[in-house]
Amino acid sequence: ITMTYAHWKIGKHDESAAFELFFRKNPFKGQYTVFCGLDECLKHFQSFGFTQDDVDYLKSTPALQHCDEGFFEYLLNLDTSQLKVYALPEGTLAF
């Protein structure tokens, strides 16, 4: 959220940005990982949004108490329809 605020604050919130999800070690002390769960992530992105209760909670956190009110309005109206996801195909081995 703080990274989102920084982008919003300097007016870059409507520009393209790249974020990566990764892990440092294979789980279960293994030598590889099978990539799975992409469908669930995509479903989450399609319905993602902040409710007023979410925003009220965020406003109460010490890290976000200083944020401009306009940022919270931005969160309430966040549109993820332009989100692009680049991912490994489901079932791919990752090392």
Side-chain angles (χ1 to χ4, degrees):
I1 295 292
T2 55
M3 187 182 296
T4 304
Y5 181 66
H7 276 86
W8 180 85
K9 187 73 174 169
I10 61 173
K12 293 189 179 255
H13 54 287
D14 289 327
E15 295 181 17
S16 294
F19 299 92
E20 298 176 354
L21 297 175
F22 63 93
F23 55 89
R24 296 187 190 283
K25 295 181 182 179
N26 288 307
F28 314 112
K29 299 180 183 176
Q31 299 301 311
Y32 63 91
T33 298
V34 178
F35 176 74
C36 59
L38 178 60
D39 187 56
E40 291 301 313
C41 290
L42 296 176
K43 287 178 188 175
H44 176 72
F45 291 142
Q46 288 176 344
S47 64
F48 182 80
F50 289 94
T51 65
Q52 186 62 54
D53 285 343
D54 295 333
V55 168
D56 290 342
Y57 170 76
L58 291 172
K59 287 180 179 182
S60 74
T61 62
L64 300 175
Q65 288 178 344
H66 68 283
C67 294
D68 296 340
E69 187 62 33
F71 174 66
F72 298 110
E73 290 298 318
Y74 168 73
L75 292 180
L76 286 170
N77 297 303
L78 190 63
D79 176 16
T80 60
S81 65
Q82 298 298 313
L83 183 68
K84 293 181 183 178
V85 175
Y86 299 93
L88 294 171
E90 191 85 17
T92 300
L93 296 182
F95 297 89

Coordinates of all heavy atoms in Angstrom, one line a residue:
I1 N 0.8 -1.2 0.0 CA 0.0 0.0 0.0 C 0.9 1.3 0.0 O 0.6 2.2 -0.7 CB -1.0 0.0 1.2 CG1 -2.0 -1.1 1.1 CG2 -1.7 1.3 1.4 CD1 -3.0 -1.0 0.0
T2 N 2.0 1.2 0.7 CA 2.8 2.4 0.8 C 3.5 2.7 -0.6 O 3.6 3.8 -1.0 CB 3.9 2.3 1.9 OG1 4.6 1.1 1.7 CG2 3.3 2.3 3.3
M3 N 3.8 1.6 -1.3 CA 4.3 1.8 -2.7 C 3.3 2.4 -3.6 O 3.5 3.3 -4.4 CB 4.8 0.5 -3.3 CG 5.6 0.7 -4.6 SD 6.1 -0.9 -5.3 CE 7.3 -1.5 -4.1
T4 N 2.0 2.0 -3.4 CA 0.9 2.5 -4.2 C 0.7 4.0 -3.9 O 0.5 4.8 -4.8 CB -0.4 1.7 -3.9 OG1 -0.2 0.4 -4.2 CG2 -1.5 2.3 -4.7
Y5 N 0.8 4.3 -2.6 CA 0.7 5.7 -2.2 C 1.8 6.6 -2.8 O 1.5 7.7 -3.3 CB 0.7 5.9 -0.7 CG 0.6 7.3 -0.2 CD1 -0.6 8.0 -0.4 CD2 1.6 8.0 0.4 CE1 -0.8 9.3 -0.1 CE2 1.5 9.3 0.8 CZ 0.3 10.0 0.6 OH 0.2 11.3 0.9
A6 N 3.0 6.1 -2.8 CA 4.1 6.8 -3.4 C 3.9 7.1 -4.9 O 4.1 8.2 -5.4 CB 5.4 6.1 -3.2
H7 N 3.4 6.1 -5.6 CA 3.1 6.3 -7.1 C 1.9 7.3 -7.2 O 2.0 8.1 -8.1 CB 2.6 4.9 -7.7 CG 3.8 4.1 -8.1 ND1 4.5 3.2 -7.3 CD2 4.4 4.0 -9.3 CE1 5.4 2.6 -8.0 NE2 5.4 3.1 -9.2
W8 N 0.9 7.2 -6.4 CA -0.2 8.1 -6.4 C 0.3 9.6 -6.1 O -0.1 10.5 -6.8 CB -1.3 7.7 -5.5 CG -2.5 8.6 -5.5 CD1 -3.5 8.6 -6.3 CD2 -2.7 9.7 -4.6 NE1 -4.4 9.6 -6.0 CE2 -3.9 10.3 -4.9 CE3 -2.0 10.3 -3.5 CZ2 -4.4 11.4 -4.3 CZ3 -2.5 11.4 -2.9 CH2 -3.7 11.9 -3.2
K9 N 1.1 9.7 -5.1 CA 1.5 11.0 -4.6 C 2.3 11.8 -5.7 O 2.2 13.0 -5.8 CB 2.4 10.8 -3.4 CG 2.8 12.1 -2.7 CD 1.6 12.7 -2.0 CE 2.0 13.9 -1.2 NZ 0.9 14.7 -0.7
I10 N 3.1 11.1 -6.5 CA 3.9 11.7 -7.5 C 3.2 11.7 -8.9 O 3.8 12.1 -9.9 CB 5.3 11.2 -7.6 CG1 5.3 9.7 -8.0 CG2 6.1 11.4 -6.3 CD1 6.7 9.1 -8.2
G11 N 2.0 11.3 -8.9 CA 1.2 11.3 -10.1 C 1.5 10.2 -11.2 O 1.2 10.4 -12.3
K12 N 2.1 9.1 -10.7 CA 2.4 8.1 -11.6 C 1.5 6.9 -11.5 O 1.7 5.8 -12.1 CB 3.9 7.6 -11.4 CG 4.9 8.7 -11.8 CD 6.3 8.1 -11.8 CE 7.2 9.2 -12.2 NZ 7.7 9.0 -13.5
H13 N 0.4 7.0 -10.8 CA -0.5 5.9 -10.6 C -1.3 5.4 -11.8 O -1.7 4.3 -11.8 CB -1.5 6.3 -9.5 CG -2.3 7.5 -9.7 ND1 -1.7 8.8 -9.6 CD2 -3.6 7.7 -10.1 CE1 -2.6 9.7 -9.9 NE2 -3.8 9.1 -10.2
D14 N -1.3 6.2 -12.8 CA -2.0 5.8 -14.1 C -1.0 5.3 -15.1 O -1.3 4.9 -16.2 CB -2.8 6.9 -14.7 CG -4.1 7.1 -13.8 OD1 -4.6 6.1 -13.3 OD2 -4.5 8.3 -13.8
E15 N 0.3 5.3 -14.8 CA 1.4 4.8 -15.7 C 1.6 3.4 -15.5 O 1.3 2.8 -14.4 CB 2.7 5.6 -15.5 CG 2.6 7.1 -15.8 CD 3.9 7.8 -15.7 OE1 4.9 7.2 -15.6 OE2 3.8 9.1 -15.6
S16 N 2.2 2.7 -16.4 CA 2.5 1.3 -16.3 C 3.6 1.1 -15.3 O 4.5 1.9 -15.1 CB 3.0 0.7 -17.6 OG 1.9 0.7 -18.6
A17 N 3.5 0.0 -14.5 CA 4.5 -0.3 -13.5 C 4.6 -1.9 -13.5 O 3.6 -2.6 -13.8 CB 4.1 0.2 -12.1
A18 N 5.7 -2.4 -13.1 CA 5.9 -3.8 -13.0 C 6.2 -4.2 -11.6 O 7.0 -3.6 -10.9 CB 7.1 -4.2 -14.0
F19 N 5.6 -5.3 -11.2 CA 5.8 -5.8 -9.9 C 6.0 -7.3 -10.0 O 5.4 -8.0 -10.8 CB 4.7 -5.5 -8.9 CG 4.4 -4.1 -8.7 CD1 3.6 -3.4 -9.5 CD2 5.2 -3.4 -7.7 CE1 3.4 -2.0 -9.4 CE2 5.0 -2.0 -7.6 CZ 4.1 -1.3 -8.4
E20 N 6.9 -7.9 -9.3 CA 7.2 -9.3 -9.4 C 6.9 -10.0 -8.1 O 7.1 -9.5 -7.0 CB 8.7 -9.5 -9.7 CG 9.0 -8.9 -11.1 CD 10.5 -9.1 -11.4 OE1 11.3 -9.5 -10.5 OE2 10.9 -8.7 -12.5
L21 N 6.4 -11.2 -8.2 CA 6.3 -12.1 -7.0 C 7.3 -13.2 -7.2 O 7.5 -13.8 -8.3 CB 4.9 -12.7 -7.0 CG 3.7 -11.7 -6.8 CD1 2.4 -12.5 -6.9 CD2 3.9 -11.1 -5.4
F22 N 8.0 -13.5 -6.2 CA 9.1 -14.6 -6.2 C 9.3 -15.2 -4.9 O 8.7 -14.7 -3.9 CB 10.4 -14.0 -6.8 CG 11.0 -12.9 -5.8 CD1 11.9 -13.3 -4.9 CD2 10.6 -11.6 -6.0 CE1 12.4 -12.3 -4.0 CE2 11.1 -10.6 -5.1 CZ 12.0 -11.0 -4.2
F23 N 10.0 -16.3 -4.9 CA 10.4 -16.9 -3.6 C 11.9 -17.1 -3.6 O 12.5 -17.2 -4.7 CB 9.6 -18.2 -3.4 CG 9.8 -19.2 -4.5 CD1 10.8 -20.1 -4.5 CD2 8.9 -19.2 -5.6 CE1 10.9 -21.0 -5.6 CE2 9.0 -20.1 -6.6 CZ 10.0 -21.0 -6.6
R24 N 12.5 -17.2 -2.5 CA 13.9 -17.4 -2.4 C 14.4 -18.8 -2.3 O 15.4 -19.2 -2.7 CB 14.5 -16.6 -1.1 CG 14.3 -15.1 -1.3 CD 15.0 -14.4 -0.1 NE 14.6 -13.0 -0.1 CZ 15.1 -12.1 -0.9 NH1 15.9 -12.4 -1.8 NH2 14.7 -10.8 -0.7
K25 N 13.5 -19.7 -1.7 CA 13.8 -21.1 -1.5 C 12.6 -21.9 -2.0 O 11.5 -21.5 -1.8 CB 14.2 -21.4 -0.1 CG 15.4 -20.8 0.4 CD 15.7 -21.2 1.9 CE 16.9 -20.5 2.4 NZ 17.2 -20.9 3.8
N26 N 12.9 -23.0 -2.6 CA 11.8 -23.9 -2.9 C 11.2 -24.5 -1.7 O 11.9 -24.7 -0.7 CB 12.4 -25.1 -3.8 CG 12.7 -24.7 -5.2 OD1 12.0 -24.1 -5.9 ND2 14.0 -25.0 -5.6
P27 N 9.9 -24.6 -1.6 CA 9.2 -25.0 -0.4 C 9.5 -26.5 -0.1 O 9.9 -27.3 -1.0 CB 7.7 -24.8 -0.7 CG 7.6 -24.8 -2.2 CD 8.9 -24.3 -2.7
F28 N 9.4 -26.9 1.1 CA 9.5 -28.2 1.6 C 10.9 -28.8 1.4 O 11.1 -30.0 1.2 CB 8.5 -29.2 1.0 CG 7.1 -28.6 1.0 CD1 6.5 -28.2 -0.2 CD2 6.4 -28.4 2.2 CE1 5.2 -27.7 -0.2 CE2 5.1 -27.9 2.2 CZ 4.5 -27.5 1.0
K29 N 11.9 -27.9 1.3 CA 13.3 -28.3 1.1 C 13.5 -29.0 -0.2 O 14.4 -29.9 -0.3 CB 13.8 -29.1 2.3 CG 13.8 -28.4 3.6 CD 14.3 -29.2 4.7 CE 14.1 -28.4 6.0 NZ 14.5 -29.2 7.2
G30 N 12.7 -28.7 -1.2 CA 12.8 -29.4 -2.5 C 13.8 -28.7 -3.4 O 14.4 -27.7 -3.1
Q31 N 13.9 -29.3 -4.6 CA 14.8 -28.8 -5.6 C 14.1 -28.0 -6.7 O 14.7 -27.4 -7.5 CB 15.6 -30.0 -6.2 CG 16.5 -30.7 -5.2 CD 17.5 -29.8 -4.5 OE1 18.2 -29.1 -5.2 NE2 17.5 -29.9 -3.2
Y32 N 12.8 -28.1 -6.7 CA 12.0 -27.4 -7.7 C 10.6 -27.1 -7.2 O 10.2 -27.6 -6.1 CB 11.9 -28.2 -9.0 CG 11.1 -29.5 -8.8 CD1 9.8 -29.6 -9.0 CD2 11.8 -30.7 -8.4 CE1 9.1 -30.8 -8.7 CE2 11.2 -31.9 -8.2 CZ 9.8 -31.9 -8.3 OH 9.1 -33.1 -8.1
T33 N 9.9 -26.3 -7.9 CA 8.5 -26.0 -7.5 C 7.6 -26.1 -8.8 O 8.1 -25.8 -9.9 CB 8.5 -24.5 -7.0 OG1 9.3 -24.4 -5.9 CG2 7.1 -24.1 -6.7
V34 N 6.4 -26.5 -8.6 CA 5.5 -26.6 -9.7 C 4.6 -25.4 -9.6 O 3.9 -25.1 -8.5 CB 4.6 -27.9 -9.6 CG1 3.6 -27.9 -10.7 CG2 5.5 -29.1 -9.7
F35 N 4.6 -24.5 -10.6 CA 3.8 -23.3 -10.6 C 2.3 -23.7 -10.8 O 1.9 -24.3 -11.7 CB 4.2 -22.4 -11.7 CG 3.4 -21.1 -11.8 CD1 3.5 -20.1 -10.9 CD2 2.4 -21.0 -12.8 CE1 2.7 -19.0 -10.9 CE2 1.6 -19.9 -12.9 CZ 1.8 -18.9 -11.9
C36 N 1.5 -23.3 -9.8 CA 0.1 -23.5 -9.9 C -0.7 -22.4 -9.2 O -0.1 -21.7 -8.4 CB -0.3 -24.9 -9.4 SG 0.2 -25.1 -7.7
G37 N -1.9 -22.3 -9.5 CA -2.8 -21.3 -8.8 C -3.0 -20.0 -9.6 O -3.6 -19.1 -9.1
L38 N -2.6 -20.0 -10.8 CA -2.8 -18.8 -11.7 C -4.2 -18.5 -11.8 O -4.6 -17.3 -11.7 CB -2.1 -19.0 -13.0 CG -2.3 -17.8 -14.0 CD1 -1.6 -16.6 -13.4 CD2 -1.6 -18.2 -15.3
D39 N -5.1 -19.5 -12.0 CA -6.5 -19.2 -12.2 C -7.1 -18.5 -11.0 O -7.9 -17.6 -11.1 CB -7.2 -20.5 -12.5 CG -8.7 -20.3 -12.8 OD1 -8.9 -19.6 -13.8 OD2 -9.6 -20.9 -12.2
E40 N -6.7 -19.0 -9.8 CA -7.2 -18.3 -8.6 C -6.7 -16.9 -8.5 O -7.5 -16.0 -8.1 CB -6.8 -19.1 -7.3 CG -7.5 -20.4 -7.2 CD -9.0 -20.3 -7.2 OE1 -9.5 -19.5 -6.4 OE2 -9.6 -21.1 -7.9
C41 N -5.5 -16.6 -8.9 CA -5.0 -15.2 -8.9 C -5.8 -14.4 -9.8 O -6.1 -13.2 -9.5 CB -3.5 -15.2 -9.2 SG -2.4 -15.9 -8.0
L42 N -6.0 -14.9 -11.0 CA -6.8 -14.1 -12.0 C -8.2 -13.8 -11.6 O -8.7 -12.7 -11.8 CB -6.8 -14.8 -13.4 CG -5.4 -15.0 -14.0 CD1 -5.5 -15.8 -15.3 CD2 -4.7 -13.6 -14.2
K43 N -8.8 -14.8 -10.9 CA -10.2 -14.6 -10.4 C -10.1 -13.5 -9.3 O -11.0 -12.6 -9.2 CB -10.7 -15.8 -9.8 CG -11.1 -16.9 -10.8 CD -11.6 -18.1 -10.1 CE -11.9 -19.2 -11.1 NZ -12.3 -20.5 -10.4
H44 N -9.1 -13.5 -8.5 CA -9.0 -12.5 -7.4 C -8.8 -11.1 -8.0 O -9.5 -10.1 -7.6 CB -7.8 -12.8 -6.5 CG -7.5 -11.8 -5.5 ND1 -8.3 -11.6 -4.4 CD2 -6.6 -10.9 -5.4 CE1 -7.9 -10.6 -3.6 NE2 -6.8 -10.2 -4.2
F45 N -8.0 -11.0 -9.1 CA -7.8 -9.7 -9.7 C -9.1 -9.1 -10.3 O -9.3 -7.9 -10.3 CB -6.7 -9.7 -10.8 CG -5.3 -10.0 -10.2 CD1 -4.4 -10.8 -10.9 CD2 -4.9 -9.4 -9.0 CE1 -3.2 -11.0 -10.4 CE2 -3.6 -9.6 -8.5 CZ -2.8 -10.4 -9.2
Q46 N -9.9 -10.0 -10.9 CA -11.1 -9.6 -11.5 C -12.1 -9.0 -10.5 O -12.9 -8.1 -10.9 CB -11.8 -10.7 -12.2 CG -11.1 -11.1 -13.5 CD -11.7 -12.4 -14.1 OE1 -12.5 -13.1 -13.5 NE2 -11.3 -12.6 -15.4
S47 N -12.1 -9.4 -9.3 CA -13.0 -8.9 -8.3 C -12.4 -8.1 -7.2 O -13.0 -7.7 -6.3 CB -13.7 -10.1 -7.6 OG -12.8 -10.9 -6.9
F48 N -11.1 -7.7 -7.4 CA -10.4 -7.0 -6.4 C -10.9 -5.6 -6.3 O -11.3 -4.9 -7.2 CB -8.9 -6.9 -6.8 CG -8.1 -6.2 -5.7 CD1 -7.7 -6.8 -4.6 CD2 -7.7 -4.9 -5.9 CE1 -7.0 -6.2 -3.6 CE2 -7.0 -4.2 -4.9 CZ -6.6 -4.9 -3.8
G49 N -11.0 -5.1 -5.0 CA -11.4 -3.7 -4.7 C -11.3 -3.5 -3.2 O -11.2 -4.4 -2.4
F50 N -11.4 -2.2 -2.9 CA -11.3 -1.8 -1.5 C -12.8 -1.4 -1.1 O -13.4 -0.7 -1.8 CB -10.4 -0.7 -1.2 CG -8.9 -1.1 -1.3 CD1 -8.2 -0.9 -2.5 CD2 -8.3 -1.6 -0.2 CE1 -6.9 -1.3 -2.6 CE2 -6.9 -2.0 -0.3 CZ -6.3 -1.8 -1.5
T51 N -13.2 -1.9 0.1 CA -14.5 -1.4 0.6 C -14.2 -0.2 1.5 O -13.1 0.1 1.9 CB -15.1 -2.5 1.5 OG1 -14.3 -2.8 2.6 CG2 -15.3 -3.8 0.6
Q52 N -15.3 0.4 2.0 CA -15.1 1.5 2.9 C -14.5 1.0 4.2 O -13.7 1.7 4.8 CB -16.5 2.2 3.2 CG -16.4 3.4 4.0 CD -15.5 4.5 3.4 OE1 -15.8 4.9 2.2 NE2 -14.5 5.0 4.1
D53 N -14.9 -0.2 4.7 CA -14.3 -0.7 5.9 C -12.8 -1.0 5.7 O -12.0 -0.7 6.6 CB -15.0 -2.1 6.2 CG -16.4 -1.9 6.8 OD1 -16.7 -0.8 7.3 OD2 -17.1 -2.9 6.9
D54 N -12.4 -1.4 4.5 CA -11.0 -1.6 4.2 C -10.2 -0.3 4.4 O -9.2 -0.2 5.0 CB -10.7 -2.1 2.8 CG -11.3 -3.5 2.6 OD1 -11.4 -4.3 3.6 OD2 -11.6 -3.9 1.4
V55 N -10.8 0.7 3.8 CA -10.2 2.1 3.8 C -10.2 2.7 5.2 O -9.1 3.2 5.6 CB -10.9 3.0 2.8 CG1 -10.4 4.5 2.9 CG2 -10.6 2.5 1.3
D56 N -11.2 2.5 5.9 CA -11.2 3.0 7.3 C -10.1 2.3 8.1 O -9.5 3.0 8.9 CB -12.6 2.7 7.9 CG -13.7 3.6 7.4 OD1 -13.4 4.6 6.7 OD2 -14.9 3.3 7.5
Y57 N -10.0 1.0 7.9 CA -8.9 0.3 8.6 C -7.5 0.9 8.2 O -6.7 1.1 9.1 CB -8.9 -1.2 8.4 CG -7.7 -1.9 8.9 CD1 -7.5 -2.1 10.2 CD2 -6.7 -2.2 8.0 CE1 -6.3 -2.7 10.7 CE2 -5.5 -2.8 8.5 CZ -5.3 -3.0 9.8 OH -4.2 -3.6 10.3
L58 N -7.3 1.0 6.9 CA -6.0 1.5 6.4 C -5.7 2.9 7.0 O -4.6 3.2 7.4 CB -6.0 1.6 4.9 CG -6.0 0.2 4.2 CD1 -6.2 0.4 2.7 CD2 -4.7 -0.5 4.5
K59 N -6.7 3.8 7.1 CA -6.6 5.1 7.7 C -6.1 5.0 9.1 O -5.5 5.9 9.6 CB -7.9 5.9 7.6 CG -8.2 6.4 6.2 CD -9.6 7.1 6.3 CE -10.0 7.7 5.0 NZ -11.3 8.4 5.1
S60 N -6.5 4.0 9.8 CA -6.2 3.8 11.2 C -4.8 3.3 11.5 O -4.3 3.3 12.6 CB -7.2 2.9 11.9 OG -7.0 1.6 11.6
T61 N -4.1 2.8 10.5 CA -2.8 2.3 10.7 C -1.7 3.4 10.7 O -1.8 4.4 10.0 CB -2.4 1.3 9.5 OG1 -2.4 2.0 8.3 CG2 -3.4 0.1 9.5
P62 N -0.8 3.2 11.6 CA 0.3 4.3 11.8 C 1.0 4.6 10.4 O 1.3 5.8 10.2 CB 1.2 3.7 12.8 CG 0.4 2.7 13.6 CD -0.6 2.2 12.6
A63 N 1.2 3.6 9.6 CA 2.0 3.9 8.4 C 1.2 4.7 7.4 O 1.8 5.3 6.5 CB 2.4 2.5 7.8
L64 N -0.1 4.7 7.5 CA -0.9 5.4 6.5 C -1.7 6.6 7.0 O -2.5 7.2 6.3 CB -1.9 4.4 5.8 CG -1.2 3.3 5.1 CD1 -2.2 2.3 4.6 CD2 -0.3 3.8 4.0
Q65 N -1.6 6.9 8.3 CA -2.3 8.0 8.9 C -2.0 9.4 8.3 O -2.8 10.3 8.3 CB -2.1 8.1 10.4 CG -2.8 7.0 11.1 CD -2.5 7.0 12.6 OE1 -1.6 7.7 13.1 NE2 -3.3 6.3 13.4
H66 N -0.8 9.5 7.7 CA -0.4 10.8 7.1 C -0.8 10.9 5.6 O -0.7 12.0 5.0 CB 1.2 10.8 7.1 CG 1.8 9.9 6.1 ND1 1.9 8.5 6.5 CD2 2.3 10.0 4.9 CE1 2.5 7.9 5.4 NE2 2.7 8.7 4.5
C67 N -1.4 9.9 5.0 CA -1.8 10.0 3.6 C -2.9 11.0 3.3 O -3.8 11.2 4.1 CB -2.2 8.6 3.1 SG -0.9 7.4 3.2
D68 N -2.8 11.6 2.2 CA -3.9 12.5 1.7 C -5.2 11.8 1.6 O -5.2 10.6 1.1 CB -3.5 13.1 0.4 CG -2.2 14.0 0.4 OD1 -1.9 14.4 1.5 OD2 -1.6 14.2 -0.6
E69 N -6.3 12.5 1.8 CA -7.6 11.9 1.7 C -7.9 11.4 0.3 O -8.6 10.4 0.1 CB -8.7 12.9 2.2 CG -10.1 12.3 2.3 CD -10.3 11.2 3.3 OE1 -9.6 11.2 4.3 OE2 -11.1 10.3 3.0
G70 N -7.4 12.1 -0.7 CA -7.6 11.8 -2.1 C -7.1 10.4 -2.4 O -7.6 9.7 -3.3
F71 N -6.0 9.9 -1.7 CA -5.5 8.6 -2.0 C -6.5 7.5 -1.6 O -6.7 6.6 -2.3 CB -4.2 8.4 -1.2 CG -3.7 7.0 -1.2 CD1 -3.2 6.5 -2.4 CD2 -3.6 6.2 -0.1 CE1 -2.7 5.2 -2.5 CE2 -3.1 4.9 -0.2 CZ -2.7 4.4 -1.4
F72 N -7.2 7.8 -0.5 CA -8.2 6.8 -0.1 C -9.4 6.7 -1.0 O -10.0 5.7 -1.3 CB -8.6 7.0 1.4 CG -7.5 6.9 2.3 CD1 -6.9 8.0 3.0 CD2 -6.9 5.7 2.6 CE1 -5.9 7.9 3.8 CE2 -5.8 5.5 3.4 CZ -5.3 6.6 4.1
E73 N -9.7 7.9 -1.6 CA -10.8 7.9 -2.6 C -10.3 7.2 -3.8 O -11.1 6.4 -4.5 CB -11.1 9.4 -3.0 CG -11.8 10.1 -1.9 CD -13.2 9.5 -1.6 OE1 -13.9 9.1 -2.5 OE2 -13.5 9.4 -0.4
Y74 N -9.0 7.3 -4.2 CA -8.5 6.6 -5.3 C -8.6 5.1 -5.1 O -9.0 4.3 -6.0 CB -7.0 7.0 -5.5 CG -6.2 6.1 -6.4 CD1 -6.4 6.1 -7.8 CD2 -5.3 5.2 -5.9 CE1 -5.7 5.3 -8.6 CE2 -4.6 4.3 -6.7 CZ -4.8 4.4 -8.1 OH -4.0 3.5 -8.9
L75 N -8.3 4.6 -3.8 CA -8.4 3.2 -3.5 C -9.9 2.7 -3.7 O -10.1 1.6 -4.2 CB -7.9 2.9 -2.1 CG -6.4 3.1 -1.9 CD1 -6.1 2.7 -0.4 CD2 -5.6 2.2 -2.8
L76 N -10.8 3.5 -3.2 CA -12.2 3.1 -3.3 C -12.7 3.0 -4.7 O -13.6 2.2 -5.0 CB -13.1 4.1 -2.6 CG -13.0 4.1 -1.0 CD1 -13.8 5.3 -0.4 CD2 -13.6 2.8 -0.5
N77 N -12.1 3.7 -5.7 CA -12.4 3.7 -7.1 C -11.4 2.9 -7.9 O -11.5 3.1 -9.2 CB -12.6 5.1 -7.6 CG -13.8 5.8 -6.8 OD1 -14.9 5.3 -6.8 ND2 -13.4 6.9 -6.2
L78 N -10.6 2.2 -7.3 CA -9.5 1.5 -8.1 C -10.1 0.6 -9.2 O -11.0 -0.2 -8.9 CB -8.7 0.7 -7.1 CG -7.4 0.1 -7.6 CD1 -6.4 1.2 -8.1 CD2 -6.7 -0.8 -6.6
D79 N -9.5 0.6 -10.4 CA -10.0 -0.2 -11.5 C -8.9 -1.1 -11.9 O -7.8 -0.6 -12.4 CB -10.4 0.8 -12.6 CG -10.8 0.1 -13.9 OD1 -11.1 -1.2 -13.8 OD2 -10.9 0.7 -14.9
T80 N -9.1 -2.4 -11.8 CA -8.0 -3.3 -12.2 C -8.3 -3.9 -13.6 O -7.6 -4.8 -14.0 CB -7.9 -4.5 -11.2 OG1 -9.2 -5.1 -11.2 CG2 -7.5 -4.0 -9.9
S81 N -9.1 -3.3 -14.4 CA -9.5 -3.8 -15.7 C -8.3 -3.7 -16.7 O -8.2 -4.5 -17.7 CB -10.7 -3.1 -16.3 OG -10.4 -1.8 -16.6
Q82 N -7.3 -2.8 -16.5 CA -6.2 -2.7 -17.4 C -5.0 -3.5 -16.9 O -3.9 -3.5 -17.5 CB -5.8 -1.2 -17.5 CG -6.9 -0.3 -18.1 CD -7.2 -0.7 -19.5 OE1 -6.3 -0.9 -20.3 NE2 -8.5 -0.9 -19.7
L83 N -5.1 -4.3 -15.8 CA -4.1 -5.1 -15.3 C -3.6 -6.1 -16.3 O -4.5 -6.8 -16.9 CB -4.5 -5.7 -14.0 CG -3.5 -6.5 -13.2 CD1 -2.4 -5.6 -12.7 CD2 -4.2 -7.3 -12.1
K84 N -2.3 -6.3 -16.5 CA -1.8 -7.3 -17.3 C -0.9 -8.2 -16.4 O -0.1 -7.8 -15.6 CB -0.9 -6.7 -18.4 CG -1.6 -5.9 -19.4 CD -0.7 -5.4 -20.5 CE -1.5 -4.6 -21.5 NZ -0.6 -4.0 -22.5
V85 N -1.1 -9.5 -16.6 CA -0.4 -10.5 -15.8 C 0.5 -11.4 -16.8 O -0.1 -11.9 -17.7 CB -1.3 -11.4 -15.0 CG1 -0.6 -12.5 -14.3 CG2 -2.1 -10.6 -14.0
Y86 N 1.7 -11.4 -16.5 CA 2.6 -12.3 -17.3 C 3.1 -13.4 -16.3 O 3.6 -13.1 -15.3 CB 3.8 -11.5 -17.8 CG 3.4 -10.4 -18.7 CD1 3.2 -9.1 -18.3 CD2 3.2 -10.6 -20.1 CE1 2.9 -8.1 -19.1 CE2 2.9 -9.6 -20.9 CZ 2.7 -8.3 -20.5 OH 2.3 -7.3 -21.3
A87 N 2.9 -14.6 -16.7 CA 3.1 -15.7 -15.8 C 3.6 -17.0 -16.5 O 3.3 -17.1 -17.7 CB 1.9 -16.0 -14.9
L88 N 4.2 -17.8 -15.8 CA 4.5 -19.2 -16.3 C 3.2 -19.9 -16.6 O 2.2 -19.7 -15.9 CB 5.3 -20.0 -15.3 CG 6.7 -19.5 -14.9 CD1 7.2 -20.3 -13.7 CD2 7.6 -19.6 -16.1
P89 N 3.2 -20.8 -17.6 CA 2.0 -21.6 -17.8 C 1.8 -22.5 -16.5 O 2.7 -23.0 -15.9 CB 2.3 -22.4 -19.0 CG 3.4 -21.7 -19.7 CD 4.2 -21.0 -18.6
E90 N 0.5 -22.7 -16.2 CA 0.1 -23.6 -15.1 C 0.8 -25.0 -15.3 O 0.9 -25.5 -16.3 CB -1.4 -23.8 -15.1 CG -2.0 -24.4 -13.9 CD -2.2 -23.4 -12.8 OE1 -2.3 -22.2 -13.1 OE2 -2.4 -23.9 -11.7
G91 N 1.4 -25.4 -14.2 CA 2.1 -26.7 -14.2 C 3.5 -26.7 -14.6 O 4.2 -27.8 -14.6
T92 N 4.1 -25.5 -14.9 CA 5.5 -25.4 -15.2 C 6.4 -25.6 -14.0 O 6.1 -25.2 -12.9 CB 5.7 -24.0 -15.8 OG1 4.9 -23.9 -17.0 CG2 7.2 -23.9 -16.2
L93 N 7.5 -26.4 -14.2 CA 8.5 -26.5 -13.2 C 9.3 -25.2 -13.1 O 9.7 -24.7 -14.1 CB 9.4 -27.7 -13.5 CG 8.7 -29.1 -13.4 CD1 9.8 -30.1 -13.7 CD2 8.0 -29.3 -12.2
A94 N 9.5 -24.7 -11.9 CA 10.3 -23.5 -11.7 C 11.5 -23.9 -10.7 O 11.3 -24.6 -9.8 CB 9.4 -22.4 -11.0
F95 N 12.6 -23.4 -11.1 CA 13.8 -23.7 -10.3 C 14.4 -22.5 -9.6 O 14.2 -21.4 -10.0 CB 14.9 -24.3 -11.2 CG 14.5 -25.6 -11.8 CD1 13.8 -25.7 -13.0 CD2 14.7 -26.8 -11.1 CE1 13.4 -26.9 -13.6 CE2 14.3 -28.0 -11.7 CZ 13.7 -28.1 -12.9

